[in-house]
Amino acid sequence: MSMVIPSRAAPSFSFKGEITEDQRRFFEEYGFIAFRKVFGPDEVEIIREEARELTRRTLRGEIASDKRDDLLPPGTDESGNPYLHRLPYFTHFCERSSFAIQRGNLDSIGFGLLGGEAWRLHDTMGGAIWQLKSGGRGSYSSIDWHLDFPEDHPLVPVVSVGIYLDDSAYENGALVVVPSSHRYPPSRLPPTPLALEARAGDVLCHAHNIFHSSGPSPAGTQRATLYLYYCGGPYPGARLPFAGEESKKGIRALFQPAAGRSEVEHA
Amino acid sequence: MPSDRAISILASLFELDTLMGVSKQRRQALLRALVDLVSEEDDDMAQELLAIAALHPDPDVRAATLEIPRSRPGHDSNQRIVSWAVQDPDESVAAGAARIAADRRMGETTSDLLSVTGRCPDTVRYGSDIPATVCDHIQTSALRLLIDTPAGREALLNLPTPLAADPNAIVNNEGMVHVLEGTLDPAVGAEHLPGWFPNEFLENTSPWEVEEFWIDIEPVTNAEYDEFVEAIESTGHIFCHPDEPADKLHRRTFVNDERFSQGDPVVGIDWYDAYGYASWKGKSLPTEDEWERAARGDSGLIFPWGNESSSDNVRGAEATFARAYSDRKEWEDHMASVDFQAIDQLTLPAKALPDNVSPFGALGMSGNAWEWTSTRFLDRMEIEPHFGTLYPVETIGDWSAYLSIKGGSWSSIADLLSPAFRVKRHIFSRSPEVSFRCVRRT
C-alpha cells in the first residue's frame, strides 16, 4: 500500500556512488541522513522475496539456532499464519540481496559516513538484520527512545544504514530522531523530535548514538527495513551473539506492543 | 536619604520574597509598618516601597497595599494601588480591589476592570457571562456601578479596538508590494548558480504553492527599528513573542556604530527582535517560501534581476572589500582575516542599488544583509520557539532553534547571494549581517 508522504520534510540527498563532502558534513552535524530512490522497485522486490523465503526456512527449522532471532517472538497475521519480526544474518543467507547491495555500492555509504577504517557486520553479532514492524496481534507497535550502542560497545562508532522496503510515514510508525542528539546532551526541556519519512527504496542512515524511536503502527499495517551496520571499532571475531542475555532483556523492553496490550504477546 | 524605617521595611519585603520562615505575627507587623510608612510619607522612597509591595510575588503583600485606600480615603496613591490590584491574577487581591473601587465609586478603575472582564459592555450591562467565582460577581457588580460614573462612561466610549476586529480599520500597505499566489520551485534555475557551494538540497526540494501576500519593498531600517524600541518602553512587551526571555532587551547592537546609518537595513537584532517589530507593525516575518518567491518571481530567477550574477547590483564581499575572489578558498581565507572594526562601510540603504530589484518590486533581496524568516531550517516547518526559559548557550545543540536566513550579506559571495540559497542561523544570534523585512498576509 502506498502511503501519502508530505513533500516538505528534512533535507534528503541523492546517492551517486560515493558520499560527498556536503553529505558527510550533514551527517556529522545531525546524526542522520536520508537518500532517496537508492534502490528501484525490482531490487526492493528481490529483498522482499528473499525475506519471505528466509522466514519460511526459519519457521521450518532449517536455520541454526545461533543464526535465528531470539529477541522477539513470532507474530501472527490476520489469517493466523506466523511471521517473524527479525531475520539476522540476512546477507549471509540471501545471496541476491547481497548482490543488489554490492551492485548499489551501498558499502560506500557506510564507509563514507564513518570515514577512516570501517567494516560491515556480516557474520557476527547478528550481521545484517531484516526487521518488520507491524501493528498486528502478537507484534510490537513502537520502539521506545534509545541509543543503538552505548559508547563503550566494542563496535562503535557504528552507522546504521536502513534500506526501506515499504513506505514509511508518520502515520505508520516512521523513524523519529532528535537531530544532533549524538553530539549534545539533553537540555532542561524535552527534545524536539523529527519524523523521517521514506518511500520503499530509500535509504535512511543514523549514528549509533543518536536518540531515536519509532512511532506506533496502526493495526493491519507492516513495514520492513533491512539494516546494515557499518562499524569503526575493531572486528570482534566471527559468530559472536547479538548481545548478552542481560542486554537482551533491556532491548526487548524497547519494543512496545500496540495500545491496550501489556506486552508483545507470544503467538 | 531614606529613613531607617524605610530601609528596614525594604529589607523585610525582600525577606518576605522567600515566603519561608516568617511567622504570621512578624508578617503582619511588617505589612502594618509598610502601610503606615506609605500612608504617612510621600517621598520617592515611600513610592518605591509601594511599587515593590504592589508587584511583590507574595499575594498577601500585594493585598496589604489595599489597606491604604481602605484606611486613607484621600490618599494620593489610592487610584494607582487599586488600578494595579484590580488586575491582579490572584483573586484574594483582585476582589478586594474591585470592592474598594465600587465602594468609593472610583470611575477611573473602569478601564482596568474592563480589561479583566473582557471589554464587553453588553456583558456588563446584561450579565450574559457566567460568573464562576465570588470574585467574578464582585467585579461584575463593581463594573455595573462604575459605568454610571463620568469616568466610567468615558472608558466605555474609548475601548481599544484591535486592528483585526475593527471593520473600519484601514490596512496600510504603504511601502509594500503585492506578491500574487503562485508556485515556488526552488530547483528551477539551479544550473545558473555559480557552484561555489554545494546545492544538492535544491534537487530534492519539491515545488510548493505559496498564497498571495504583501512584502516590504525594503528591509526594515535602523530608524524604523529604533522607533519600535522606543515605543515598547511605554507599551511594554505586549507585541513581543510570548516565548522571548523575560528580561529581553530589544535595543539593537551597533546602535552607537556610526557606520550603520539610519537608512540602512537594521542589523544586530535576533529573531525575537525581528518578530517583535513585525508584530508591532501589525505584520509578520515571512516564511522562507514567501521570501524566496518575492525575490525570484514567477519564473524562478536565480538572482532578483536575472540568472547572471552581477557585482554591480549587489552589496557582497567583492563590493565591500573592492576585490575579486578567484575561488571559495581565497574568499574564506580572506574572511577569516578580516578586521571588522577596520571596514569603513558595511551595509547600504537598499535604494542605493536600484537594479537589485525583484520581479515583484522588492529591493535589496540579494546581498547587503541576510534576512530572517519564520522557517525552521532543518525541516522547513514554521518555527515553534520554546527557548525563553533557557540561556542561549543551552540551546546551541537544539536543531529546532535554527531558522533559515536568505539573501546573503556584505560579506557573501557567489551562490550565497542567490535567493535560492539557504543557510541557518540560531534564534538568539545577533549579527552585523542579518536583517529582516515583514509581510502582511491577505
Side-chain angles (χ1 to χ4, degrees):
Chain A
M1 181 175 69
S2 178
M3 306 292 291
V4 173
I5 298 175
S7 59
R8 312 309 296 291
S12 59
F13 297 83
S14 301
F15 178 60
K16 292 173 182 161
E18 59 179 23
I19 296 295
T20 66
E21 195 183 310
D22 191 38
Q23 291 167 355
R24 182 140 194 279
R25 199 166 33 238
F26 182 93
F27 179 77
E28 287 275 318
E29 180 168 357
Y30 293 113
F32 75 92
I33 188 166
F35 295 100
R36 300 298 171 206
K37 298 179 187 172
V38 178
F39 290 97
D42 291 344
E43 287 156 324
V44 168
E45 189 51 35
I46 286 171
I47 302 174
R48 284 192 191 128
E49 252 182 56
E50 292 203 306
R52 287 192 286 269
E53 177 56 24
L54 184 56
T55 298
R56 283 191 287 270
R57 290 182 60 198
T58 306
L59 290 172
R60 286 197 297 258
E62 293 171 18
I63 305 298
S65 60
D66 65 336
K67 292 225 166 16
R68 293 197 306 256
D69 177 52
D70 64 351
L71 201 63
L72 292 173
T76 312
D77 67 21
E78 284 157 359
S79 306
N81 302 313
Y83 63 85
L84 297 173
H85 294 99
R86 297 173 90 248
L87 297 171
Y89 299 102
F90 195 86
T91 49
H92 174 81
F93 290 112
C94 302
E95 202 174 299
R96 291 164 64 209
S97 299
S98 199
F99 185 59
I101 289 165
Q102 279 178 16
R103 204 171 49 226
N105 202 15
L106 215 64
D107 284 349
S108 69
I109 290 183
F111 300 149
L113 292 178
L114 265 179
E117 293 285 322
W119 51 279
R120 170 155 58 92
L121 214 54
H122 172 71
D123 63 352
T124 192
M125 301 182 92
I129 301 179
W130 174 94
Q131 190 156 304
L132 180 75
K133 191 164 178 284
S134 164
R137 180 173 167 268
S139 179
Y140 70 95
S141 172
S142 58
I143 302 178
D144 202 0
W145 290 99
H146 65 284
L147 310 178
D148 280 345
F149 297 88
E151 281 310 306
D152 60 355
H153 195 281
L155 295 182
V156 302
V158 178
V159 173
S160 300
V161 175
I163 304 169
Y164 275 65
L165 307 173
D166 293 295
D167 293 350
S168 173
Y170 184 71
E171 292 78 14
N172 73 336
L175 175 67
V176 182
V177 299
V178 177
S180 302
S181 59
H182 67 312
R183 295 218 175 276
Y184 292 93
S187 75
R188 287 182 280 132
L189 291 180
T192 305
L194 178 69
L196 301 181
E197 302 187 318
R199 289 195 182 275
D202 290 349
V203 169
L204 264 57
C205 310
H206 64 268
H208 69 275
N209 56 348
I210 189 172
F211 208 39
H212 63 286
S213 73
S214 72
S217 306
T221 67
Q222 291 185 336
R223 69 167 180 84
T225 312
L226 175 59
Y227 290 102
L228 310 178
Y229 298 96
Y230 293 86
C231 311
Y235 178 67
R239 293 191 295 277
L240 293 175
F242 166 73
E245 285 309 312
E246 277 306 306
S247 297
K248 282 182 193 170
K249 287 181 192 169
I251 296 168
R252 279 190 197 102
L254 295 175
F255 292 85
Q256 298 179 335
R261 302 208 173 92
S262 58
E263 58 182 16
V264 179
E265 298 166 355
H266 288 262
Chain B
M1 271 295 283
S3 63
D4 290 342
R5 184 182 169 204
I7 292 171
S8 168
I9 292 174
L10 179 63
S12 302
L13 284 174
F14 284 123
E15 183 187 348
L16 282 173
D17 195 357
T18 65
L19 301 179
M20 301 288 285
V22 177
S23 68
K24 185 177 173 183
Q25 291 83 355
R26 176 162 164 70
R27 177 187 291 270
Q28 286 174 340
L30 286 170
L31 295 178
R32 262 199 309 277
L34 166 69
V35 169
D36 288 345
L37 180 131
V38 175
S39 301
E40 292 160 16
E41 299 180 20
D42 195 26
D43 57 7
D44 288 345
M45 186 65 184
Q47 292 302 309
E48 193 67 32
L49 286 174
L50 176 61
I52 292 171
L55 299 172
H56 200 274
D58 186 342
D60 285 346
V61 174
R62 301 198 302 272
T65 63
L66 294 174
E67 280 308 309
I68 298 168
R70 278 195 194 105
S71 58
R72 308 277 200 285
H75 196 279
D76 286 342
S77 296
N78 284 352
Q79 183 59 64
R80 199 152 54 103
I81 292 168
V82 170
S83 286
W84 280 335
V86 91
Q87 298 177 81
D88 199 293
D90 194 307
E91 290 188 352
S92 67
V93 180
R99 187 151 269 154
I100 293 171
D103 290 347
R104 305 249 187 277
R105 295 295 191 275
M106 297 170 78
E108 287 80 7
T109 317
T110 308
S111 295
D112 308 302
L113 263 173
L114 280 170
S115 72
V116 172
T117 60
R119 295 200 171 122
C120 181
D122 285 353
T123 303
V124 175
R125 286 198 183 90
Y126 308 117
S128 57
D129 201 9
I130 297 174
T133 66
V134 169
C135 182
D136 293 344
H137 287 285
I138 296 172
Q139 285 172 334
T140 307
S141 163
L143 262 179
R144 285 195 184 123
L145 282 169
L146 294 179
I147 58 173
D148 279 336
T149 63
R153 281 190 285 276
E154 191 175 340
L156 279 181
L157 288 173
N158 293 322
L159 284 173
T161 309
L163 198 63
D166 183 351
N168 296 318
I170 298 169
V171 172
N172 185 358
N173 286 330
E174 186 183 333
M176 308 184 89
V177 287
H178 192 198
V179 180
L180 299 171
E181 68 177 27
T183 306
L184 170 70
D185 188 351
V188 161
E191 67 275 16
H192 296 291
L193 281 170
W196 284 31
F197 299 87
N199 57 30
E200 189 181 349
F201 62 88
L202 287 176
E203 292 176 20
N204 294 308
T205 306
S206 305
W208 200 250
E209 293 303 306
V210 183
E211 295 183 3
E212 65 172 318
F213 60 97
W214 291 76
I215 190 166
D216 288 343
I217 293 173
E218 300 176 22
V220 174
T221 64
N222 286 313
E224 289 168 333
Y225 184 79
D226 291 344
E227 283 179 22
F228 157 67
V229 175
E230 196 177 319
I232 60 172
E233 281 179 9
S234 54
T235 65
H237 294 251
I238 58 175
F239 296 101
C240 298
H241 197 285
D243 181 61
E244 78 171 25
D247 55 354
K248 181 89 176 79
L249 288 177
H250 287 288
R251 195 183 74 146
R252 59 184 168 96
T253 316
F254 315 113
V255 68
N256 295 316
D257 190 328
E258 289 173 359
R259 293 176 296 172
F260 297 100
S261 65
Q262 288 290 288
D264 287 4
V266 63
V267 293
I269 41 91
D270 63 27
W271 186 86
Y272 290 106
D273 297 322
Y275 179 97
Y277 176 92
S279 174
W280 175 67
K281 293 293 281 186
K283 301 179 184 179
S284 310
L285 292 177
T287 63
E288 181 176 353
D289 291 339
E290 287 170 337
W291 193 98
E292 190 171 333
R293 179 157 161 73
R296 300 181 65 188
D298 278 323
S299 52
L301 300 174
I302 228 34
F303 296 99
W305 54 84
N307 284 328
E308 299 298 320
S309 65
S310 166
S311 55
D312 294 333
N313 289 351
V314 68
R315 182 71 176 170
E318 290 183 334
T320 304
F321 300 102
R323 59 176 282 183
Y325 300 91
S326 56
D327 57 30
R328 180 175 160 179
K329 182 155 186 336
E330 184 185 343
W331 171 75
E332 286 177 348
D333 288 344
H334 182 224
M335 288 301 113
S337 68
V338 157
D339 176 4
F340 175 75
Q341 296 303 330
I343 307 172
D344 288 335
Q345 187 169 29
L346 297 139
T347 51
L348 294 176
K351 290 187 181 66
L353 293 167
D355 292 334
N356 188 335
V357 63
S358 81
F360 286 112
L363 272 177
M365 300 196 89
S366 171
N368 214 8
W370 295 94
E371 295 187 18
W372 286 111
T373 71
S374 60
T375 299
R376 203 159 58 187
F377 180 75
L378 185 60
D379 64 351
R380 300 185 82 120
M381 304 294 281
E382 191 87 0
I383 184 88
E384 295 173 356
H386 54 280
F387 317 105
T389 58
L390 301 177
Y391 294 111
V393 70
E394 294 178 285
T395 63
I396 286 176
D398 190 333
W399 67 277
S400 64
Y402 289 83
L403 292 110
S404 290
I405 57 173
K406 305 282 282 181
S409 78
W410 50 263
S411 77
S412 298
I413 196 77
D415 313 56
L416 302 183
L417 295 168
S418 166
F421 216 80
R422 60 196 308 259
V423 300
K424 65 178 192 282
R425 209 77 197 148
H426 190 269
I427 194 170
F428 284 116
S429 166
R430 283 184 152 208
S431 168
E433 302 190 49
V434 182
S435 183
F436 71 100
R437 72 182 73 205
C438 305
V439 295
R440 179 175 279 129
R441 299 182 181 105
T442 53

